[in-house]
Amino acid sequence: MAKVPVQFRLNGSDRAAFADPADNLLTVLRRGLNDFGPKYGCGQGTCGTCSVLIDGELRLACLTLAASCEGASIETVSGMADGPSLHPLQNAFMEHFAAQCGFCTPGMLTAAKALLDRNPNPGREDVIDAIAGNICRCTGYEPIIQAILAAARTLPAQRRS
Amino acid sequence: MARFRGRGMASVNYPIGMNLGGDPSQALIHSNPDGKFTVALSAIDLGQGMKQVTRQVAAETLGVPVEDVYVDTADSDTGPHDMGSFASRGTHRMGNAVIAAAREARGVLLEAAAEELEVNAADLVTDGKGNIHVKGAPSRAITVRATAQAAQFKQGKTIAGRGIFLIPLSSVDPETGEMNPNTAFAHACLVADVEVDDETGEVAVLGMSSAYELGRVINPKMVEQQLVGGAWMGISHALYETPEPYYPNPDHGPRDFNEYLMPGPGDIAPYSITILERPAPDGPFGGKGPGEMCANPVLPAIANAVYNAIGVRVNDLPITPEKILRGLRANGGVKPQPRRGGAL
Ligand code: FES
Ligand code: FES
């Protein structure tokens, strides 16, 4: 099948790629645009490690047709840090030992960012809800929950209001 | 139509490593001209923390800052031989191999420094901050970096060390059948409280407490990380996960995460851990390492707690609602067992 051009913003830069009309976004990000932040876990929407934000909404890149992202603004874990300074969530994940093998971490960070972007004051249940679609083999989740709650506490006061 | 609570306990004596071929690990260390050290290992860190632990062990033995040590586990084709990352052997086996390599490298480092300072190497000490000086005379000093450069460009010496750790293979005594396959044992005891629903057969873990004796804890936060993550895996194996639900019949096995049950962040239980340290005489700085035993006692403790709650003894894992309900039917209903140790 003929490839189609697709253009979108990726972590603040305009990017373009040629994609098979059936390609999912994860394939285009990883193979076409060398963004290896989102991981390929299951390829069927059950593990969450491919999570990205599309126009601010949490989405599974493996279940999203790349062609449907034309003109969208996509954020991946690769764009979370601001130059050398890490996002508060990334710092909190380190401080709370919330990663072991790290394979779930891109999805966890992205799901957590989606939560904090809409609810800067989450409770424990909100955090559990937010990462319920993300599987982690290693940590037992508790350190991840603690890290996300801690990151929320460090957000600038005006965001928490 | 009721929920029954039960408490179960299990303890474990966990042998560190194995007895196959003496279970050796090798390590190589060399300094770079900037005075930093590279440790080459072939065992792989899958998130257990082996890289960080061996880095600390190397820095401590070399007498340099931990930031100045890099542990490279990139390639088992080109690295020194290792049996691998399993059997909870990382801290103990690789740690000991790294100590041996670091001691040899430190010897050359001090000799090279002695040549620069025109003193006897036996009189030199390191301050752990990147300097080497004469014992009792801190001003007669040279940096590790300057020493590494002198060794490389002036003296023509390699500041390097080789290490291996091998426990001689213990074979079976033909007369007595006796053998001594392990030199270091870690220990743990774990208590689990559960609630069993006699209508749905579901088991909820209400909480767990444990005490772990792991030898010297080389990195306390990472030990805690292992124990918390491992306990969750124990719950998962006790109650949810299996590739063969009707083993040995392979039918109805899960094909993907839609069918393979794993507890999520909403299914975890409060867990309190006490760490005890009884350094192992042959461990690196006394360390044994947590490893697989993070998960092991959780399984029998939950099985015992289920028995305590409803009198059903489930002998194959995982303890699914189906097995609970079949057990209740065979027993003619719930038969709570006596409980010691106070209210749940
Ligand atoms: S790879 Fe997309 S959910 Fe698993
Ligand atoms: S850290 Fe390994 S899967 Fe989460």
Side-chain angles (χ1 to χ4, degrees), chain B residues 35-52:
Chain B
K36 306 204 175 185
F37 288 83
T38 303
V39 181
L41 298 172
S42 289
I44 302 299
D45 189 341
L46 308 131
Q48 315 94 321
M50 201 250 322
K51 265 181 137 170
Q52 173 63 18

Side-chain angles (χ1 to χ4, degrees), chain B residues 169-184:
Chain B
L169 179 68
S170 167
S171 25
V172 183
D173 183 317
E175 298 298 320
T176 62
E178 200 179 310
M179 68 190 300
N180 188 14
N182 275 90
T183 61

Side-chain angles (χ1 to χ4, degrees), chain A residues 24 26 38-51 59-64 103 133-135, chain B residues 257:
Chain A
N24 63 48
L26 185 61
K39 299 279 178 275
Y40 181 98
C42 61
Q44 58 173 192
T46 50
C47 75
T49 194
C50 66
S51 299
R59 291 281 181 261
L60 298 170
C62 73
L63 293 188
T64 303
F103 205 80
N134 299 68
I135 295 178
Chain B
F257 286 134

Side-chain angles (χ1 to χ4, degrees), chain A residues 29-104:
Chain A
L29 289 175
R30 291 179 60 89
R31 294 220 198 113
L33 298 171
N34 286 344
D35 182 350
F36 296 108
K39 299 279 178 275
Y40 181 98
C42 61
Q44 58 173 192
T46 50
C47 75
T49 194
C50 66
S51 299
V52 298
L53 300 179
I54 302 178
D55 293 330
E57 296 284 332
L58 185 62
R59 291 281 181 261
L60 298 170
C62 73
L63 293 188
T64 303
L65 280 176
S68 74
C69 298
E70 180 67 34
S73 170
I74 297 169
E75 292 167 68
T76 71
V77 73
S78 315
M80 245 174 125
D82 184 5
S85 53
L86 295 178
H87 189 276
L89 276 163
Q90 293 172 310
N91 280 321
F93 266 57
M94 289 205 303
E95 270 153 34
H96 291 264
F97 288 71
Q100 288 185 32
C101 78
F103 205 80
C104 70

Side-chain angles (χ1 to χ4, degrees), chain B residues 149-194:
Chain B
Q149 280 171 357
Q152 166 96 340
F153 296 108
K154 233 168 91 188
Q155 305 175 9
K157 262 192 196 136
T158 52
I159 299 179
R162 304 151 299 169
I164 182 163
F165 186 66
L166 171 75
I167 299 168
L169 179 68
S170 167
S171 25
V172 183
D173 183 317
E175 298 298 320
T176 62
E178 200 179 310
M179 68 190 300
N180 188 14
N182 275 90
T183 61
F185 281 82
H187 313 274
C189 181
L190 185 137
V191 177
D193 290 343
V194 304

Side-chain angles (χ1 to χ4, degrees), chain A residues 98-105 108 135-141 144, chain B residues 46-47 225:
Chain A
Q100 288 185 32
C101 78
F103 205 80
C104 70
T105 311
M108 290 289 182
I135 295 178
C136 175
R137 169 89 274 179
C138 309
T139 62
Y141 299 103
I144 296 175
Chain B
L46 308 131
Q225 181 188 43

